[in-house]
């Protein structure tokens, strides 16, 4: 197995040069989809030529931002940067709506010397940098320009990138004002690809990947580029917007490519259930899909059940759905539910869980039940559950912070030494040999030999000494009234009268013409549902217009950003704390 990206590319090009490596299905001009393909030989030639141009331009050891649109050009640009001995920074063009501030912040943090894009997007990116006052030291290049540079002067082949060299910076999709770039080495990404290949049982000649996740996202990049390269399997991809417009396109590609591995966040599966019905089901055949990864934290049991029920008639089987856990700091993949088994769903006492203890209940025990989905066990990685305050390991059945150790864990955060030491090189308070752990910031527990992820440490809502998981409250709110728009809800805590209080912001559906008329009814329904299901009062409820609850670039609700907007008065409400300077 290769230990650098360029080794993986060279091996695939030498073994099956004329086999299709990557296929991009474009729906922007043809609603039925127009496929563009690239063989392993063609990919290697394009990558080597562009890499030579980058080296000639002085990119070795420097950052190269990839700001091309989703497609084959993006793959060439990313691999050319990594194979040139540069550090790729997978990003997105300025045309991606709603994320201009993150693009600006990342460009300022990474300070790339080069930005790779297409001829069509070159001017818009240049204009964006000028308008945002991004330092002018970044040179915008295209594949055509790099090809001409390589032809003008072909320097001697430099040493190939080594396994320990940084291949790219994976910027996290969180909502913090200053994004953090994880340093991912060639060895990290190649090892992680092998771990995923083993976990999902993928083989050359038998399997492929199919996806719509953005290539600047950790799972999208590994699923659509790194894993196919290392595992020598073909990759089929489409643009995320094409999925949002017609989610059936994703399912059709899965039907057309047997043996496919695919991945999506939880909301995408619910989105398919709502949007793919009736005649669109005809022609679908999901029985030959190898694995459909659900990588949300946490995976929702109701989503698994709804998706299975909706698509059982077209071959969907429960073992195909593979609840998984991962994070950018570990390249992406950590663990997945066992192959060939149905996802394990366990009911726990919600109150006991809030106190840090897992007590199993029956589903019929009513609102006191919290249903959690198991994410299996890691492949060639170590996981320990730790008390985040004492750094002591916790026993099975006890909730704590998930700590991780393995060869796929990144080197640290770009330019953040102290933060890297605290996050990537933590030590258990046990003995001297227990150092080098990654603190994930996620909460979870071991139960019945599988990992259960319960939520994010920083997102916990702590009221009267009891932990409440925001995603759990959000799911309750979502079901409280039909006016509320699914997956566009944020629950968080604010300081009020010397104690923490619960605030919920939920968007109303687009087809609601007079939300003010329904406000009292919806508010009562939400307060009653949360009080019954969680034993906590809602201090303030905001029924917000569509598209105002912020999301990350990977589609998750950005609770911290939503809390900041609430405290800043984005949604006018009489329940805002009077003193909020230090609370924002």
């Amino acid at each position: 197995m290769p230990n650098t990206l360029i080794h993986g590319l060279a091996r695939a090009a030498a073994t099956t040069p004329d086999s299709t490596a990557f296929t991009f299905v474009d729906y922007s001009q043809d609603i039925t989809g127009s496929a563009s393909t690239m063989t392993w030989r063609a990919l290697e030639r394009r990558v080597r030529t562009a890499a030579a141009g980058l080296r000639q331009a002085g990119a070795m050891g420097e950052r190269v931002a990839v700001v091309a649109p989703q497609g084959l050009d993006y793959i060439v640009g990313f691999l050319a940067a990594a194979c040139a001995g540069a550090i790729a920074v997978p990003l997105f063009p300025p045309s991606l709506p709603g994320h201009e501030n993150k693009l600006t912040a990342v460009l300022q943090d990474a300070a790339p010397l080069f930005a790779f894009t297409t001829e069509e997007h070159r001017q818009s990116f240049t204009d964006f940098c000028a308008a945002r006052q991004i330092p002018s030291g970044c040179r915008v290049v295209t594949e055509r320009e790099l090809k001409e540079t390589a032809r003008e002067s072909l320097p001697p082949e430099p040493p190939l990138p080594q396994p320990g060299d940084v291949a790219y910076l994976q910027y996290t999709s969180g909502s913090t004002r200053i994004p953090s770039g994880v340093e991912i080495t060639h060895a990290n990404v190649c090892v992680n690809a092998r771990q995923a290949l083993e976990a999902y049982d993928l083989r050359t000649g038998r399997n492929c990947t199919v996806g719509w996740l953005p290539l600047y996202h950790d799972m999208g990049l590994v699923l659509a580029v790194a894993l196919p390269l290392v595992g020598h399997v073909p990759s089929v991809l489409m643009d995320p917007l094409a999925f949002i417009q017609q989610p059936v396109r994703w399912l059709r590609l899965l039907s057309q490519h047997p043996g496919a591995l695919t991945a999506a966040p939880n909301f995408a599966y619910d989105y398919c259930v709502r949007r793919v019905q009736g005649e669109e089901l005809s022609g679908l055949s999901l029985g030959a899909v190898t694995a459909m990864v659900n990588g949300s934290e946490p995976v929702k049991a109701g989503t698994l059940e709804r998706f299975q029920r909706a698509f059982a008639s077209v071959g969907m089987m429960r073992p195909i759905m593979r609840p998984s856990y991962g994070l950018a700091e570990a390249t992406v993949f950590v663990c997945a539910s066992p192959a060939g088994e149905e996802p394990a769903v366990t009911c726990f006492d919600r109150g006991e869980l809030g106190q840090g203890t897992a007590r199993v209940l029956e589903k019929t025990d009513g609102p006191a039940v919290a249903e959690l989905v198991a994410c299996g066990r890691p492949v060639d990685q170590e996981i320990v559950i730790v008390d985040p305050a004492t750094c002591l390991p916790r026993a099975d059945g006890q909730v704590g912070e998930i700590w991780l150790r393995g060869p796929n864990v990144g080197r640290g955060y770009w330019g953040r030494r102290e933060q890297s030491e605290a996050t990537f090189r933590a030590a258990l308070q046990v003995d001297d040999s227990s150092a080098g752990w990654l603190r994930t910031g996620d909460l979870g527990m071991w139960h019945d030999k599988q990992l259960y992820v319960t939520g994010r440490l920083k997102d916990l809502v702590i009221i009267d000494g009891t932990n409440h998981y925001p995603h759990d409250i959000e799911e309750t709110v979502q079901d409280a009234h039909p006016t509320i728009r699914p997956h566009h809800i944020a629950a968080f805590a604010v300081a009020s009268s010397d104690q923490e209080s619960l605030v919920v912001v939920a968007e109303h559906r687009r087809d609601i013409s007079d939300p003010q008329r329904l406000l009292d009814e919806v508010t009562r329904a939400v307060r009653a549902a949360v009080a019954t299901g969680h034993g906590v009062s809602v201090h303030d409820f905001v029924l917000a217009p569509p598209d105002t609850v912020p999301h990350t670039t990977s589609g998750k609700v950005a609770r911290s950003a939503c809390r900041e907007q609430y405290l800043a008065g984005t949604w006018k409400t009489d329940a805002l704390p009077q003193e909020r300077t230090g609370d924002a």
Side-chain angles (χ1 to χ4, degrees):
M1 280 285 189
N3 55 10
T4 67
L5 293 173
I6 195 168
H7 288 152
L9 177 57
R11 186 193 66 153
T15 306
T16 57
D18 298 319
S19 296
T20 298
F22 292 91
T23 301
F24 178 68
V25 185
D26 183 7
Y27 295 91
S28 62
Q29 303 299 323
D30 183 349
I31 61 172
T32 62
S34 175
S36 301
T37 62
M38 186 165 46
T39 65
W40 290 111
R41 190 206 308 269
L43 174 62
E44 185 189 33
R45 286 176 177 171
R46 290 179 64 179
V47 167
R48 287 191 179 276
T49 300
L54 283 171
R55 288 194 299 269
Q56 179 64 12
M60 285 189 65
E62 303 293 348
R63 279 82 61 216
V64 178
V66 184
V67 289
Q70 186 107 336
L72 302 182
D73 292 335
Y74 196 107
I75 296 169
V76 171
F78 170 77
L79 292 176
C83 294
I87 301 173
V89 186
L91 291 171
F92 43 87
S95 55
L96 183 69
H99 298 290
E100 298 88 348
N101 290 339
K102 177 176 180 178
L103 180 58
T104 300
V106 172
L107 290 171
Q108 291 173 337
D109 185 73
L113 259 64
F114 298 89
F116 178 94
T117 189
T118 60
E119 297 287 347
E120 294 80 5
H121 287 76
R122 178 174 188 152
Q123 189 59 50
S124 64
F125 180 74
T126 301
D127 294 343
F128 174 83
C129 291
R132 293 285 177 134
Q133 297 182 331
I134 302 224
S136 57
C138 180
R139 176 183 166 188
V140 184
V141 295
T142 64
E143 185 180 1
R144 179 186 59 79
E145 181 181 346
L146 294 175
K147 188 175 181 180
E148 291 173 356
T149 302
R151 282 175 178 169
E152 290 172 2
S153 176
L154 289 175
E157 278 288 322
L160 294 175
Q162 298 301 300
D165 293 342
V166 177
Y168 61 98
L169 302 181
Q170 181 62 65
Y171 275 84
T172 57
S173 61
S175 60
T176 56
R177 288 189 210 112
I178 304 175
S180 299
V182 184
E183 298 178 2
I184 303 295
T185 67
H186 283 267
N188 291 152
V189 66
C190 290
V191 164
N192 200 230
R194 289 197 293 271
Q195 291 166 339
L197 287 163
E198 180 179 341
Y200 300 116
D201 191 26
L202 305 184
R203 298 290 182 270
T204 303
R206 187 185 72 186
N207 297 104
C208 65
T209 68
V210 171
W212 56 266
L213 293 176
L215 295 177
Y216 56 80
H217 185 254
D218 50 7
M219 176 57 84
L221 186 65
V222 172
L223 174 78
V225 182
L227 187 149
L229 206 66
V230 173
H232 194 183
V233 297
S235 171
V236 181
L237 64 155
M238 58 188 280
D239 190 275
L241 180 59
F243 165 76
I244 296 298
Q245 291 171 336
Q246 293 188 36
V248 70
R249 292 166 171 167
W250 176 40
L251 304 183
R252 284 171 181 161
L253 287 180
L254 289 171
S255 302
Q256 294 163 10
H257 297 275
L261 165 71
T262 194
N266 198 89
F267 84 85
Y269 294 100
D270 273 332
Y271 189 58
C272 286
V273 171
R274 296 196 307 272
R275 291 287 303 274
V276 182
Q277 299 176 6
E279 292 183 0
E280 287 192 328
L281 289 170
S282 63
L284 295 182
S285 179
L286 301 180
V289 176
T290 291
M292 301 184 78
V293 176
N294 187 327
S296 294
E297 305 105 25
V299 178
K300 295 182 179 179
T303 299
L304 301 182
E305 180 61 33
R306 286 188 291 271
F307 191 86
Q308 170 61 33
R309 190 166 56 244
F311 298 102
S313 63
V314 293
M316 184 62 195
M317 296 175 286
R318 294 182 189 276
I320 293 175
M321 189 68 79
R322 303 288 300 278
S324 303
Y325 169 67
L327 66 163
E329 287 81 353
T331 304
V332 64
F333 171 77
V334 174
C335 57
S337 61
E341 298 183 14
E342 294 187 12
V345 179
T346 307
C347 296
F348 297 98
D349 185 305
R350 179 176 281 132
E352 292 288 329
L353 207 60
Q355 297 295 333
T357 302
R359 185 168 75 89
V360 178
L361 295 178
E362 295 297 325
K363 191 173 182 178
T364 54
D365 288 338
V369 169
E371 279 189 295
L372 298 182
V373 180
C375 292
R377 299 188 65 84
V379 176
D380 296 331
Q381 302 173 57
E382 301 173 80
I383 286 181
V384 64
I385 305 300
V386 181
D387 184 317
T390 66
C391 295
L392 289 170
R394 305 209 71 180
D396 289 3
Q398 297 290 310
V399 177
E401 185 181 8
I402 301 170
W403 286 24
L404 175 67
R405 189 162 63 179
N408 53 300
V409 174
R411 294 202 321 188
Y413 295 118
W414 175 259
R416 290 175 171 77
R417 184 174 179 178
E418 290 186 6
Q419 187 182 357
S420 298
E421 286 293 324
T423 304
F424 288 82
R425 286 170 275 284
L428 293 170
Q429 297 301 307
V430 179
D431 55 55
D432 294 337
S433 64
S434 59
W437 290 91
L438 169 68
R439 299 191 64 158
T440 67
D442 292 317
L443 294 171
M445 62 187 176
W446 287 113
H447 174 74
D448 199 18
K449 299 181 179 181
Q450 292 203 61
L451 177 70
Y452 285 77
V453 181
T454 59
R456 288 286 291 167
L457 183 60
K458 69 176 183 180
D459 287 340
L460 271 181
V461 176
I462 305 174
I463 298 177
D464 295 331
T466 299
N467 296 336
H468 298 272
Y469 295 100
H471 58 82
D472 205 9
I473 295 173
E474 289 157 7
E475 191 164 11
T476 298
V477 171
Q478 178 173 295
D479 296 334
H481 197 280
T483 296
I484 294 171
R485 186 184 182 194
H487 307 295
H488 289 74
I489 307 157
F492 49 88
V494 298
S496 174
S497 303
D498 298 324
Q499 64 180 3
E500 292 288 292
S501 298
L502 175 64
V503 173
V504 175
V505 178
E507 294 180 11
H508 61 74
R509 294 199 328 263
R510 293 185 186 279
D511 59 351
I512 302 298
S513 58
D514 187 7
Q516 198 63 33
R517 182 178 59 83
L518 297 168
L519 179 59
D520 288 344
E521 178 185 328
V522 177
T523 301
R524 286 195 299 271
V526 167
R527 291 185 187 278
V530 174
T532 302
H534 305 271
V536 62
S537 298
V538 176
H539 170 72
D540 191 16
F541 172 72
V542 177
L543 188 61
D547 301 326
T548 57
V549 171
H551 284 66
T552 69
T553 52
S554 59
K556 300 175 184 176
V557 172
R559 298 187 185 96
S560 296
C562 190
R563 180 177 180 274
E564 289 180 5
Q565 290 188 18
Y566 171 83
L567 291 170
T570 298
W571 302 283
K572 300 300 181 182
T573 168
D574 295 333
L576 274 170
Q578 294 302 306
E579 296 183 7
R580 56 182 189 256
T581 303
D583 196 49

